[in-house]
Amino acid sequence: MRWKTAYRSFYYAQAPEPEDLVLDPAETALLCIDVQNLYLEIPSDPQEAARWFPFHRRMREIVIPTTRGLQDAFRAKGMDVLHARIACQLEDGRDRSLSQKKPGWNALLLPKDSAASQLVPELAPHPGEIVVTKTTDSALTGTNLRLILANMGIRNVVLTGIFTDQCVSSTVRSLADESFNVIVVEDACAAGTDELHRRELEIINMIYCQVLGSVELREIMGL
């Protein structure tokens, strides 16, 4: 069981191996974070396109197919699949969080009805599946997701999506603070670079979540 010893931070280097995971299907849901059209667009600037090429390759070759496979497996077992996306309610973005208004890469103006803000077609929600729209990083902040999960009897949340070191991490921490058990699927997430991805997994693993590969998760859950 590689997940029991992988992605160890300085703080948990000597920690005992965690117990086997028991994920009751009735209490477990899959949540995909922010895999939206905007982030799959190839930059028009050649240098930026080259800089982002490893990310886009990981998304197309690994993250999206892995996530789709997990979504289909959860649906086949009658388990809940949920989605979160980052978008603003107002066209001018006045409702955005401060982090989205500051200059730089995180500055986002994504009106909720724009094409750029929609989830990518490969991971589009099926009819009846819940989609929460957030104006900050965490899918719990400013949404009713915590209440939704509690009302549905969900105790275990399996997370996929982007970006590992931003919205995924923020959602992990928020869920952990609300005493949900959180599983992050390593090969269904990505950051701007593989180094950022790996480092963030080391930071959040074992204290805020358990990091597993999709194959390990499937074996544990019989998917």
Side-chain angles (χ1 to χ4, degrees):
M1 293 187 180
R2 176 179 172 274
W3 68 270
K4 292 191 175 187
T5 57
Y7 296 109
R8 295 272 183 137
S9 71
F10 174 86
Y11 304 104
Y12 283 81
Q14 305 303 322
E17 291 188 5
E19 296 179 0
D20 291 345
L21 287 173
V22 178
L23 300 173
D24 182 348
E27 297 181 344
T28 305
L30 179 66
L31 174 62
C32 183
I33 304 287
D34 293 0
V35 185
Q36 296 165 249
N37 290 329
L38 174 72
Y39 300 118
L40 274 295
E41 294 175 359
I42 305 300
S44 57
D45 178 80
Q47 288 186 328
E48 278 297 284
R51 196 167 74 95
W52 280 93
F53 176 76
F55 167 79
H56 286 114
R57 180 174 58 189
R58 177 178 174 86
M59 290 300 296
R60 289 298 182 190
E61 296 181 0
I62 300 174
V63 174
I64 290 176
T66 299
T67 302
R68 177 58 186 269
L70 289 175
Q71 288 179 340
D72 290 345
F74 268 64
R75 290 166 181 145
K77 291 196 70 171
M79 300 169 65
D80 291 297
V81 175
L82 295 89
H83 313 261
R85 67 184 182 117
I86 193 162
C88 51
Q89 301 291 329
L90 300 174
E91 287 291 320
D92 64 4
R94 286 180 292 124
D95 58 311
R96 292 172 296 168
S97 65
L98 179 59
S99 63
Q100 293 172 38
K101 296 176 181 177
K102 291 181 177 180
W105 185 78
N106 272 336
L108 287 175
L109 180 57
L110 277 177
K112 61 182 176 64
D113 295 325
S114 66
S117 75
Q118 306 308 309
L119 300 171
V120 299
E122 299 94 326
L123 304 181
H126 282 199
E129 291 179 351
I130 292 171
V131 182
V132 296
T133 299
K134 58 195 179 71
T135 54
T136 189
D137 280 14
S138 171
L140 269 70
T141 302
T143 76
N144 63 342
L145 180 58
R146 182 203 62 78
L147 182 61
I148 287 172
L149 293 172
N151 288 347
M152 292 166 61
I154 299 299
R155 297 304 314 151
N156 313 301
V157 182
V158 178
L159 277 187
T160 71
I162 55 177
F163 288 82
T164 313
D165 55 330
Q166 297 189 32
C167 293
V168 172
S169 176
S170 292
T171 302
V172 165
R173 292 166 185 261
S174 293
L175 287 166
D177 285 346
E178 297 285 349
S179 294
F180 289 93
N181 299 312
V182 186
I183 308 299
V184 173
V185 185
E186 181 277 330
D187 50 338
C189 296
T193 70
D194 287 346
E195 176 72 6
L196 287 172
H197 172 71
R198 182 173 63 83
R199 290 297 186 190
E200 188 62 33
L201 291 179
E202 290 174 354
I203 290 169
I204 60 178
N205 187 38
M206 297 192 71
I207 180 169
Y208 302 112
C209 66
Q210 293 291 347
V211 176
L212 276 71
S214 60
V215 173
E216 294 173 314
L217 178 67
R218 285 175 174 273
E219 289 176 351
I220 289 170
M221 298 193 68
L223 297 176

